[in-house]
Amino acid sequence: MTEIRSTLEEKLRERSAKMAVLGLGYVGLPLAAVFAEAGFEVLGIDPDERKIEAIAKGESYIGDIESEQVARLVKAGKLRASSDFAELADIDVVSICVPTPLRKTGDPDLAYIVSATEKLAEQLHPGMVIVLESTTYPGTTRELVLDLLTRGNDLQVGKDFFLAFSPERVDPGRTDWTTVNMPKVVGGITPACSEVAAAWYSAALETVIPVSSAEVAEMAKLLENTFRMVNIGLVNELALMCNRLGVDVWEVIDAAASKPFGFMKFTPGPGLGGHCIPIDPLYLSWKMKSLNYTARFIELASEVNTNMPRHVVTLTLEALNEQGKPLNGSKVLVLGAAYKPDIDDMRESPALDVIALLREKKADVSYHDPYVPRIEHEDWGLDSVADYLKAAKAADAVIIITNHTAYDYPAVLKQSKLIVDTRNALGSATKDDPKVVRL
Ligand code: SAJ
């Protein structure tokens, strides 16, 4: 074992290794807190001065982390934040937890990874361990990050410094699986990189799963989220088929879910929201296109899922038509706007597409969401109505897009003239109710 590596592993054992997390969002801040709790001195780096100030004041801006914990770790000298990358000069281990969104064109946007890595490269020194956590296409760590780190120096990966990929698996709001107990896959550029990065994560995380390369780790993450996207696409297409067959898709899925093995329940919905599931698989299909391969399951599932908002609006239009009402000019209330129940996150929410389509067809659209007071999207903005039951009573149609548990569904059913239920929020008892249209 090289001198560099044995020194590093000793620092890890002694908890004297200095750690940095680049990007203090819903992944980076919890990761920094876990390593600080484990006794390491952790430096959080983020260009957003508001985050730096909040942490210095002992305040958390991430739902999964209490301010009390931030304050305690800051006071103990285990956690601090800065926007100055030069502070990486005496850091031993670095986790890169920056966003990897899609461009408007649907192509991967790696600008955050490039920016963070270029600044990190200026501070790269022998003995450093660097782990990329941001979800990305297979090959990013080796082809992009390694290249940016080694430009202008002759440091050898796997010898002078160590580089790996370890996918984040943070599910905001989840309390059963958190950063500390979530199994953590780690794959390095070289076998030594895999071993060193796994040794580092094992110092604070309960379960570390070493794999043979960064590409395996990158691909494992994409499989996890592509699995969900494709299976959601499957049940969404099943909903379209059942609609044509006159069969209740929710009853079909519940019946299939009675199988005790070999089946995993997914449910149809108005579309696919969130910052992971609709986005991550497209990183894989984009990469495969560059290798002249079409990732057909991903592209088909993406097509089905992105068509669901239009299907919901069509169901609404047809139901109003049955009552002799054109969608044009009808009052339509969208109930629930966040991308999934009981959160305020609007990223990629299908509610945005449904509202935009309704406005396009000149419906008089309003929405309610207890967690989302206002929506600003493209060329329109709406405030949540104050009283959703009053709005439901006044509406020609109510579309349940997000089944928040806070809603009084029996009251919604009573007050509404027509309900398009895209989440089976009203339950199978309304299957034959003439004023309820189920997905
Ligand atoms: N959705 C359906 N039908 C389903 C499940 C989800 O239409 O059966 C929709 C949701 O309404 C939402 C979108 O898909 O709009 C995504 O939902 P999600 O349950 O996958 O929630 P996310 O986006 O928060 O996914 C995260 C992911 N976690 C990470 O990437 C670390 C995902 O891998 C997790 O499995 C998921 O949380 C989870 O299980 O909560």
Side-chain angles (χ1 to χ4, degrees):
M1 184 184 292
T2 63
E3 171 67 22
I4 283 177
R5 185 168 160 188
S6 52
T7 308
L8 180 68
E9 298 206 346
E10 193 182 329
K11 282 181 171 180
L12 289 175
R13 276 191 297 279
E14 291 167 358
R15 301 279 191 272
S16 61
K18 291 189 185 319
M19 177 184 180
V21 175
L22 308 189
L24 293 173
Y26 76 92
V27 174
L29 184 58
L31 187 68
V34 162
F35 274 86
E37 290 287 9
F40 289 91
E41 261 183 55
V42 184
L43 166 65
I45 299 260
D46 197 294
D48 181 349
E49 289 295 349
R50 289 169 305 175
K51 292 188 171 78
I52 310 305
E53 281 156 31
I55 289 170
K57 284 192 287 190
E59 289 166 8
S60 172
Y61 46 83
I62 295 285
D64 292 345
I65 298 288
E66 297 299 327
S67 292
E68 173 280 326
Q69 182 183 20
V70 174
R72 175 167 47 81
L73 292 170
V74 168
K75 191 157 178 278
K78 292 298 180 188
L79 177 65
R80 68 187 180 86
S82 166
S83 56
D84 182 3
F85 279 77
E87 300 207 36
L88 293 171
D90 68 343
I91 289 290
D92 301 305
V93 293
V94 181
S95 262
I96 304 175
C97 304
V98 297
T100 44
L102 283 181
R103 296 182 195 289
K104 281 274 174 234
T105 55
D107 293 348
D109 179 355
L110 296 176
Y112 294 99
I113 291 183
V114 170
S115 163
T117 306
E118 284 176 337
K119 293 189 186 108
L120 168 58
E122 290 165 19
Q123 310 301 333
L124 185 67
H125 52 265
M128 264 188 136
V129 189
I130 295 149
V131 180
L132 176 62
E133 293 222 356
S134 310
T135 303
T136 183
Y137 63 81
T140 304
T141 308
R142 190 180 305 273
E143 297 160 13
L144 178 66
V145 176
L146 177 59
D147 175 55
L148 290 173
L149 287 173
T150 50
R151 277 185 197 167
N153 64 58
D154 56 359
L155 294 175
Q156 292 296 308
V157 70
K159 211 161 85 29
D160 301 319
F161 73 99
F162 305 93
L163 176 59
F165 182 83
S166 178
E168 57 88 2
R169 284 175 164 171
V170 175
D171 185 21
R174 189 180 276 275
T175 52
D176 51 353
W177 293 102
T178 64
T179 300
V180 70
N181 71 344
M182 174 67 80
K184 199 82 164 70
V185 170
V186 184
I189 295 296
T190 70
C193 294
S194 297
E195 289 156 18
V196 167
W200 166 29
Y201 276 113
S202 303
L205 305 182
E206 286 177 16
T207 311
V208 175
I209 316 284
V211 293
S212 61
S213 71
E215 286 80 0
V216 168
E218 289 161 336
M219 196 65 170
K221 170 67 179 181
L222 291 175
L223 171 57
E224 288 166 21
N225 285 1
T226 300
F227 166 79
R228 281 185 81 74
M229 180 224 227
V230 168
N231 279 286
I232 293 164
L234 172 63
V235 291
N236 279 334
E237 184 168 55
L238 204 78
L240 300 179
M241 291 192 267
C242 287
N243 181 267
R244 282 160 179 69
L245 290 166
V247 173
D248 186 279
V249 68
W250 304 94
E251 193 180 1
V252 168
I253 292 169
D254 282 343
S258 66
K259 183 178 178 188
F261 55 85
F263 182 79
M264 182 173 180
K265 180 178 179 180
F266 288 87
T267 52
L272 195 54
H275 50 285
C276 300
I277 307 307
I279 304 251
D280 299 346
L282 299 185
Y283 267 69
L284 178 56
S285 58
W286 174 84
K287 173 68 179 177
M288 296 320 295
K289 273 203 195 96
S290 74
L291 301 173
N292 294 322
Y293 185 87
T294 303
R296 286 164 292 172
F297 278 102
I298 294 173
E299 299 203 354
L300 175 59
S302 186
E303 187 187 315
V304 171
N305 292 330
T306 45
N307 178 58
M308 291 312 283
R310 191 169 291 280
H311 175 62
V312 167
V313 171
T314 302
L315 286 177
T316 308
L317 183 148
E318 288 169 353
L320 282 168
N321 187 49
E322 284 297 303
Q323 297 182 358
K325 293 178 185 174
L327 180 55
N328 184 332
S330 285
K331 286 183 184 305
V332 180
L333 171 69
V334 168
L335 216 46
Y339 84 79
K340 68 179 186 180
D342 305 335
I343 64 170
D344 65 358
D345 196 331
M346 284 296 292
R347 284 176 289 187
E348 308 295 320
S349 174
L352 298 170
D353 303 303
V354 169
I355 292 172
L357 284 167
L358 289 168
R359 289 170 56 86
E360 206 179 278
K361 296 187 183 303
K362 298 187 177 48
D364 176 2
V365 198
S366 59
Y367 88 96
H368 179 274
D369 189 302
Y371 300 89
V372 182
R374 179 163 177 79
I375 299 176
E376 292 283 353
H377 185 61
E378 290 168 353
D379 60 350
W380 57 269
L382 278 175
D383 290 315
S384 169
V385 297
D387 181 336
Y388 70 94
L389 291 177
K390 191 170 156 216
K393 189 175 174 70
D396 297 300
V398 174
I399 309 177
I400 300 175
I401 292 292
T402 308
N403 45 331
H404 291 305
T405 46
Y407 285 133
D408 177 350
Y409 291 107
V412 170
L413 180 60
K414 188 164 175 288
Q415 298 288 358
S416 304
K417 304 176 190 68
L418 168 67
I419 304 176
V420 178
D421 182 0
T422 72
R423 298 286 190 177
N424 192 24
L426 301 176
S428 55
T430 61
K431 190 153 72 76
D432 302 317
D433 187 322
K435 69 176 180 178
V436 176
V437 175
R438 290 151 61 85
L439 204 51

